[in-house]
């Protein structure tokens, strides 16, 4: 059985590495090598020219010192060129002492009087001497009978300054090249040292980059950034990233919506963007804990904060506004159910009493008993509706009075209470009154002669609300803390959070330009005062018809009192958020 055919494979290509460490290291090594080669080349190029210039200047200096000897000029004028002459002896002595390749002395005709080759004495020079014989100096690299050399030529003058010849000195170019080649190993050693230091620095930088990028490829980092942007802007939780100096580094779309900030808030300090308050304290880490509750504007937020390795932090925000509203609705509904259950029990007792009176044929006593029972509820409803003309607020107070009565607390209207039906934001005032009455009811329940007194009065267009209870009161040291989110002395309700009612009251008051304060009540208990300017509309003109929310005095009939009492869903609005 034959073996299956195999597909020939070509040579394996070495591709570009994917890891950041390898890519950065290779790029840095390539850059360092290129720079080292370039610098070495740039250094060698002028070095050759510099060595040539030095050789020519040396040759010129030897020629000038030779021409400065007067006896050579006299010998040229008074003797004949000879290998044994004075000129030849002096020129060879100078050549040997200076290390020059040759020292040639010539007359005005260009005839040599000295030369390293004695056979050439008496012959004309191979190069043009006219420039030197004209009185000018010459420096050049040229080729002659002795090969390529660096030359220096000067005129030879007698004692009177008359030109009688010229002196030509040559430095062998091989010596210049030898000096250049001798300098190259040292230069390459320095270049190699610089390359090694650069390679080590590149390696250390790449290792640091590898640790910081977790050895990911550039494509992986790009994909992570893309996924992060998509995730941050798609999740329904607010994300706020801060740097070590407390400046906003990142803000996703949900965080912008919850905090009421724009995209330009990135890069600004946290306190500058949000202003002082609990929200800024929670995000900055000055308040420590998990699932911290804070109120920002009209929203109830749940915040968690996690520090990062670079000294910053990442905070997440969840919107609990609707959940808090539903929780308060649930609390109010449970309270109402308990009150209705108690009323049902009491109503059954009263019916049994009435049935017994009728069976005993005590008709007059039965009539008086029914009148007394109905009168109590009617009196409470009429007391409220005569002083509070807004139907929502009146229904709330009647319902709260019923709940308070079942808990053994007397709720009454303060003397001087009178509120016209001209509220600008009745639902907001319902929230304020409901929260304050609930707190007062919790504080007064179980005390001796438990009572709550609610006062509402209009001062022009300003509404002043005053709620007093007979509870233990609020210590002076805590009269400011009770308006902070999360602060409470009560047990947790079913939805798990407390400490939001009074902060919401303060926010509602401040949003309308008002204020809220707490003080000790005379005797025992606490009194909360809320001032809401511009909370009432302008009163109607005399010719204006009075509508359902007119300004005429509201006289509630018994049926109207029962309607207000059958609308105790008003208490459920006490916990709604604006």
């Amino acid at each position: 059985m034959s073996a299956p055919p195999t597909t020939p494979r070509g040579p394996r290509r070495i591709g570009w590495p994917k890891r950041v460490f390898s890519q950065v290291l290779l790029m840095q090594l390539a850059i360092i090598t290129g720079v080292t080669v370039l610098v070495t080349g740039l250094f060698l190029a002028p070095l050759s020219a510099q060595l040539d210039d030095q050789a020519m200047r040396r040759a010129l200096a030897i020629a000038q010192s030779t021409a400065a000897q007067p006896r050579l000029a006299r010998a040229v004028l008074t003797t004949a060129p000879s290998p044994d002459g004075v000129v030849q002896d002096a020129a060879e002595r100078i050549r040997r002492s200076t290390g020059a390749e040759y020292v040639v002395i010539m007359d005005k005709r260009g005839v040599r009087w000295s030369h390293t080759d004695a056979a050439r004495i008496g012959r004309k020079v191979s190069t043009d001497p006219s420039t030197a014989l004209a009185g000018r100096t010459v420096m050049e690299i040229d080729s002659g009978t002795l090969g390529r050399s660096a030359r220096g030529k000067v005129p030879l003058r007698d004692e009177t300054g008359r030109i009688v010849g010229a002196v030509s000195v040559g430095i062998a170019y091989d010596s210049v090249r030898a000096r250049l080649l001798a300098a190259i190993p040292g230069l390459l050693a320095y270049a190699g040292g610089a390359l090694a230091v650069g390679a080590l620095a590149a390696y250390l930088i790449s290792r640091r980059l590898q640790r910081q990028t977790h050895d990911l490829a550039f494509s992986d980092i790009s994909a992570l950034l893309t996924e992060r942007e998509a995730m941050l802007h798609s999740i329904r939780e607010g994300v706020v990233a801060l740097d070590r100096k407390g400046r906003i580094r990142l803000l996703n779309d949900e965080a912008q919506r919850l905090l009421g900030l724009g995209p330009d808030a990135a890069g600004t300090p946290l306190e500058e963007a949000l202003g002082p308050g609990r929200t800024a304290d929670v995000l900055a880490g000055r308040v420590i804990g998990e699932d911290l509750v804070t109120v920002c504007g009209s929203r109830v937020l749940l915040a968690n904060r996690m520090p990062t390795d670079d000294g910053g932090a990442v905070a997440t925000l969840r919107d609990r506004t609707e959940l808090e509203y539903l929780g308060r609705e649930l609390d109010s509904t449970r309270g109402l159910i308990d009150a209705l259950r108690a009323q049902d029990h009491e109503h059954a007792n009263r019916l049994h009493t009435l049935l017994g009176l009728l069976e005993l044929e005590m008709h007059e006593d039965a009539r008086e008993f029914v009148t007394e029972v109905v009168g109590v509820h009617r009196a409470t409803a009429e007391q409220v509706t005569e002083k509070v003309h807004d139907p929502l607020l009146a229904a709330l107070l009647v319902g709260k009075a019923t709940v308070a009565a079942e808990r053994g607390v007397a709720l009454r209207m303060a003397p001087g209470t009178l509120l016209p039906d001209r509220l600008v934001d009745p639902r907001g005032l319902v929230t304020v009154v409901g929260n304050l009455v609930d707190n007062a009811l919790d504080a007064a329940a179980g005390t001796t002669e438990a009572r709550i007194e609610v006062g509402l009065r209009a001062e022009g267009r300003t509404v002043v609300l005053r709620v007093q209870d007979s509870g233990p009161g609020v210590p002076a040291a805590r009269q400011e803390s009770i308006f902070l989110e999360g602060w409470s002395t009560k047990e947790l309700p079913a939805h798990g959070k407390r400490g939001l009612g009074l902060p919401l009251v303060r926010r509602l008051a401040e949003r309308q330009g008002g204020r809220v304060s707490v003080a000790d009540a005379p005797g025992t208990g606490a009194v909360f005062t809320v001032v809401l300017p511009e909370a009432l509309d302008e009163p109607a003109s005399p010719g204006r018809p009075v509508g359902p929310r007119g300004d005429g005095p509201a006289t509630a009939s018994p049926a109207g009192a029962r309607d207000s009492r059958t609308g105790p869903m008003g208490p459920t609005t006490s916990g709604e958020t604006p």
Side-chain angles (χ1 to χ4, degrees):
M1 186 175 182
S2 60
T6 59
T7 303
R9 295 184 180 181
R12 184 177 180 181
R13 298 181 59 185
I14 301 177
W16 182 252
K18 295 183 177 181
R19 298 194 319 174
V20 174
F21 168 76
S22 302
Q23 290 187 22
V24 173
L25 181 60
L26 288 178
M27 287 189 292
Q28 288 182 327
L29 289 178
I31 293 173
I32 293 171
T33 303
V35 170
T36 303
V37 171
L38 179 62
V39 170
T40 304
L42 292 177
F43 186 79
L44 284 176
L47 179 60
S48 177
Q50 183 181 3
L51 291 177
D52 289 347
D53 183 70
Q54 289 178 357
M56 289 186 294
R57 290 184 181 277
R58 181 183 170 210
L60 181 64
I62 295 173
Q64 288 174 338
S65 64
T66 302
Q69 300 182 21
R71 66 188 183 91
L72 294 179
R74 287 195 303 269
V76 170
L77 292 174
T78 58
T79 63
S82 172
D84 300 328
V86 176
V87 176
Q88 173 68 2
D89 291 341
E92 284 299 300
R93 186 174 62 253
I94 293 173
R95 182 184 66 81
R96 287 191 297 268
S97 63
T98 59
E101 182 181 15
Y102 63 85
V103 177
V104 176
I105 299 174
M106 69 193 78
D107 60 12
K108 293 186 65 175
R109 296 171 300 169
V111 176
R112 300 186 185 95
W113 284 68
S114 65
H115 197 276
T116 55
D117 184 3
R120 297 180 184 274
I121 296 175
R123 299 178 184 179
K124 286 190 176 182
V125 296
S126 59
T127 57
D128 183 15
S130 59
T131 302
L133 294 174
R136 296 189 296 272
T137 60
V138 176
M139 289 191 311
E140 62 183 358
I141 302 292
D142 202 357
S143 298
T145 58
L146 297 178
R148 188 174 176 80
S149 61
R151 298 180 179 181
K153 297 179 182 181
V154 297
L156 179 65
R157 300 175 186 271
D158 62 7
E159 295 176 350
T160 63
R162 181 170 57 93
I163 297 176
V164 296
V167 178
S168 176
V169 176
I171 304 295
Y173 193 74
D174 290 340
S175 65
V176 177
R177 185 179 301 169
R179 293 180 60 190
L180 177 62
L181 295 177
I184 290 178
L187 181 61
L188 292 180
Y190 282 113
L195 183 61
V197 172
L200 178 60
Y203 176 78
L204 295 177
I205 293 174
S206 299
R207 288 291 297 176
R208 177 177 175 83
L209 188 60
Q210 180 187 26
R211 290 193 300 268
Q212 292 182 340
T213 59
H214 301 284
D215 202 21
L216 295 174
F218 282 117
S219 58
D220 296 334
I221 296 175
S222 177
L224 284 176
L225 289 176
T226 303
E227 293 170 1
R228 188 198 72 160
E229 288 299 315
M231 178 182 65
L232 285 177
H233 295 289
S234 63
I235 60 176
R236 291 297 89 194
E237 282 194 3
V239 178
V240 182
L242 305 174
D243 61 14
R244 67 176 62 190
K245 295 183 178 179
R247 292 174 299 194
I248 298 176
R249 186 163 51 191
L250 175 68
L251 201 68
N252 71 342
D253 297 341
E254 183 68 6
Q256 294 176 24
R257 183 183 71 87
L258 296 179
L259 299 177
L261 301 176
D264 55 347
T268 59
L270 188 63
E271 283 74 10
E272 180 180 335
L274 295 178
R278 177 176 170 84
T279 303
D281 292 340
V282 169
L283 296 182
R286 290 187 287 269
V287 180
I288 302 175
E290 296 181 355
D291 291 342
L292 296 174
V293 179
T294 179
V295 177
C296 184
S298 61
R299 298 190 176 277
V300 180
L301 306 178
L302 206 62
N304 284 281
R305 186 178 186 274
M306 178 65 69
T308 55
D309 294 337
D310 60 353
V314 175
T316 59
L317 302 171
R318 284 176 284 168
D319 190 359
R320 286 186 58 94
T321 306
E322 296 299 327
L323 183 59
E324 186 65 27
Y325 168 75
L326 293 176
R328 288 181 169 271
E329 288 282 346
L330 179 60
D331 284 347
S332 298
T333 303
R334 286 183 175 178
L336 180 61
I337 291 174
D338 292 340
L340 292 176
R341 186 182 295 113
Q343 283 186 342
D344 179 66
H345 181 70
E346 183 181 359
H347 184 63
N349 292 334
R350 289 170 179 170
L351 286 179
H352 292 158
T353 303
L354 180 60
L355 180 59
L357 292 174
L358 293 176
E359 288 181 350
L360 296 175
E361 297 184 354
M362 300 174 64
H363 302 97
E364 188 64 30
D365 293 336
R367 184 167 49 254
E368 292 177 0
F369 177 75
V370 172
T371 303
E372 179 182 359
V373 170
V374 174
V376 173
H377 293 282
R378 181 181 300 172
T380 301
E382 290 180 352
Q383 180 188 16
V384 172
T385 55
E386 286 177 359
K387 296 182 177 182
V388 179
H389 297 167
D390 184 86
L392 286 178
L393 198 55
L396 171 69
L397 291 172
V398 170
K400 292 295 183 184
T402 302
V403 174
E406 297 301 331
R407 297 185 60 179
V409 180
L411 188 150
R412 63 190 182 193
M413 305 303 296
T417 296
L418 184 60
L419 185 68
D421 186 16
R422 292 188 284 110
L423 290 175
V424 174
D425 183 15
R427 294 178 62 86
L429 187 55
V430 163
T431 299
V432 172
V433 173
N435 278 299
L436 292 180
V437 171
D438 285 342
N439 287 337
L441 184 58
D442 291 337
T447 62
T448 305
E449 297 182 359
R451 66 187 183 282
I452 298 174
E453 186 175 83
V454 180
L456 284 161
R457 69 178 188 275
E459 298 179 356
R461 296 185 60 189
T462 300
V463 172
V464 179
L465 167 64
R466 195 169 172 275
V467 178
Q468 179 179 340
D469 62 69
S470 60
V474 180
R478 295 185 176 180
Q479 288 184 357
E480 186 64 25
S481 301
I482 62 175
F483 294 103
L484 298 178
E485 294 92 337
W487 192 96
S488 179
T489 59
K490 307 172 188 176
E491 295 181 358
L492 290 178
H495 55 287
K497 294 291 178 182
R498 272 204 185 276
L500 294 176
L502 292 178
L504 286 175
V505 170
R506 168 176 276 186
R507 289 299 176 94
L508 284 171
E510 291 177 349
R511 194 173 65 180
Q512 297 185 26
R515 64 183 186 277
V516 57
S517 60
V518 60
D520 293 332
T524 60
V527 55
F528 287 82
T529 303
V530 180
V531 179
L532 301 175
E534 308 296 327
L536 294 174
D537 287 327
E538 292 289 345
S541 59
R544 178 182 174 184
V546 179
R549 292 175 57 87
D551 297 298
T555 57
S557 63
R562 287 192 298 272
D563 290 341
S564 297
R565 197 164 56 250
T566 56
M569 288 305 292
T572 64
T573 62
S574 63
E576 73 175 356
T577 55

